[in-house]
């Protein structure tokens, strides 16, 4: 049996442990999460262990990245289960701050990353990247790790975080890690737990449709035609709505001007009340 994972809840206790490791010459990797952990999260812990001598994971369901009508209240929470999974993956410390410690009365600062936050998720969830950028800036400044690990599953979020670390001179290397998927291609996500058996079956189509769109483009289809075709396939497969399917420049998420530059196809679609996102490289 793995021994229980030490947990700290204050910035002071977190900083003391990180400072002690650093004084001992150890490098520190950091994996921020909102919990309800799955193999996708644990792959980030493994990547951190490969590159760093100590690994800290954080667990905080960040209220500022949910709009009032979204799923903050019902977001799955299981600190004991998460802690056991992190320990078995070789994590060294869990940072699980209380809401009042993260956002004390009078908290007044927002981190807004322009450009890369604006399209796609930024259009459909206008509150989202402000909440993410603010909490990730706080977490990075609290933990002061050498390297922080984020999933390509949330590709636009990864770009936003790289940009804020660069723009604000936060001395942390941001590393993106590949998306971990179920056997049928569905990207692992804490929100997959919301899906009924029927919805779960349909959900696998999201990734397949993105692969089909890439095949169509390789066979000569224009990006816009491939996007529209993918959207109608999703609706035909049983998705209740499609926010977007978009082929974009992989570095800026702006329009793809040249088929020789790295590109990404990204999508967000609804199954009942559950919103799924996915993306793959072209
Ligand atoms: P979350 O708990 O959903 O906020 O995710 C925490 C971190 O795990 C983020 O960096 C996500 O991009 C990453 N992540 C979530 N799902 C996956 C996945 N299926 N594969 C790889 N990374 C993931």
């Amino acid at each position: 049996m793995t021994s229980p994972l030490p947990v700290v809840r204050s910035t002071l206790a977190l900083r003391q442990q990180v400072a002690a490791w650093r004084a001992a010459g150890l490098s520190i990797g950091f994996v921020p999460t909102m919990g309800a952990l799955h193999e996708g999260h644990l792959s980030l812990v493994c990547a951190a262990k490969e590159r760093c001598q100590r690994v800290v994971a954080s667990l905080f369901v960040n209220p500022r990245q949910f709009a009032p009508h979204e799923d903050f209240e019902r977001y799955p929470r299981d600190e004991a289960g998460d802690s056991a999974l992190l320990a078995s993956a070789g994590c060294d410390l869990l940072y699980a701050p209380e809401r009042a410690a993260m956002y004390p009365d009078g908290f007044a600062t927002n981190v807004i990353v322009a450009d890369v936050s604006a399209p796609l998720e930024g259009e459909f969830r206008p509150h989202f990247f402000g909440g993410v950028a603010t909490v990730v800036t706080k977490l990075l400044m609290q933990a002061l790790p050498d390297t922080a690990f984020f999933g390509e599953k949330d590709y636009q979020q990864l770009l936003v975080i790289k940009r804020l670390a660069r723009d604000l001179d936060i001395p942390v290397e941001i590393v993106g890690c590949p998306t971990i998927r179920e056997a049928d291609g569905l990207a692992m996500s804490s929100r997959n737990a919301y899906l009924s058996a029927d919805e779960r079956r349909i959900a696998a189509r999201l990734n397949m449709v993105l692969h089909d769109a890439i095949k169509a483009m390789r066979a000569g289809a224009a990006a816009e035609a491939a996007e529209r075709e993918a959207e109608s396939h999703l609706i035909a497969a049983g998705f209740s709505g499609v926010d977007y399917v978009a082929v974009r420049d992989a570095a800026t998420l702006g329009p793809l001007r040249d088929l020789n530059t790295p590109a990404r196809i990204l999508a967000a679609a609804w199954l009942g009340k559950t919103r799924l996102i996915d993306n793959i490289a072209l």
Side-chain angles (χ1 to χ4, degrees):
M1 231 185 77
T2 22
S3 44
L5 185 61
V7 57
V8 290
R9 299 193 191 274
S10 72
T11 306
L12 181 65
L14 172 66
R15 286 211 174 124
Q16 281 173 341
Q17 178 61 82
V18 169
W21 282 331
R22 183 152 290 128
L26 301 169
S27 58
I28 292 110
F30 184 44
V31 179
T33 83
M34 296 207 302
L37 301 184
H38 49 66
E39 283 171 47
H41 298 109
L42 300 183
S43 75
L44 303 182
V45 174
C46 290
K49 275 189 75 71
E50 272 171 27
R51 298 202 25 172
C52 303
Q53 290 155 307
R54 291 291 180 273
V55 177
V56 180
S58 67
L59 168 51
F60 182 63
V61 185
N62 175 34
R64 295 172 77 97
Q65 69 191 67
F66 292 79
H69 62 276
E70 291 185 341
D71 55 342
F72 176 72
E73 295 301 338
R74 70 176 183 135
Y75 198 84
R77 289 166 171 87
D78 175 16
E79 182 178 318
D82 290 342
S83 173
L85 285 173
L86 288 168
S88 67
C91 182
D92 298 290
L93 181 69
L94 175 61
Y95 174 48
E98 301 292 346
R99 180 176 178 159
M102 287 299 271
Y103 300 120
D105 283 349
F107 186 89
T109 300
N110 269 317
V111 178
I112 303 291
V113 181
D115 287 351
V116 74
S117 291
L120 307 175
E121 290 300 290
E123 253 174 62
F124 289 90
R125 303 183 71 198
H127 58 283
F128 177 66
F129 284 125
V132 168
T134 303
V135 82
V136 171
T137 302
K138 277 180 74 73
L139 289 166
L140 293 177
M141 299 311 293
Q142 290 171 336
L144 294 172
D146 297 288
T147 315
F149 298 81
F150 296 86
E152 288 181 352
K153 152 87 179 12
D154 302 280
Y155 187 79
Q156 188 174 8
Q157 171 176 288
L158 173 63
L159 295 188
V160 167
I161 291 165
K162 282 186 171 166
R163 184 72 67 89
L164 77 83
R166 193 191 72 183
D167 288 355
L168 297 177
D169 303 307
I170 301 178
V172 177
E173 185 189 357
I174 305 297
V175 173
C177 301
T179 303
I180 304 299
R181 299 179 180 281
E182 304 286 356
D184 62 4
L186 175 65
M188 289 190 185
S189 164
S190 308
R191 290 191 166 98
N192 293 349
Y194 299 151
L195 300 172
S196 68
D198 259 5
E199 290 171 338
R200 171 62 190 83
R201 199 174 29 75
I202 298 167
R205 297 293 305 168
L206 181 57
N207 186 243
M208 294 175 198
V209 160
L210 296 185
H211 281 286
D212 290 346
I214 291 180
K215 268 188 224 145
M217 286 179 64
R218 291 219 175 100
E224 261 191 37
E227 291 166 356
R228 297 299 80 78
E229 178 89 357
E231 287 178 11
S232 49
H233 279 163
L234 288 172
I235 297 298
F239 279 83
S240 41
V242 178
D243 282 352
Y244 59 83
V245 176
V247 177
R248 295 294 169 95
D249 181 300
T252 64
L253 297 184
L256 188 62
R257 300 202 190 285
D258 170 359
L259 279 177
N260 295 318
T261 50
R264 205 95 194 167
I265 182 164
L266 308 98
W270 290 87
L271 271 171
K273 287 186 176 164
T274 307
R275 187 174 184 274
L276 300 179
I277 59 171
D278 199 356
N279 71 88
I280 47 179
L282 246 69

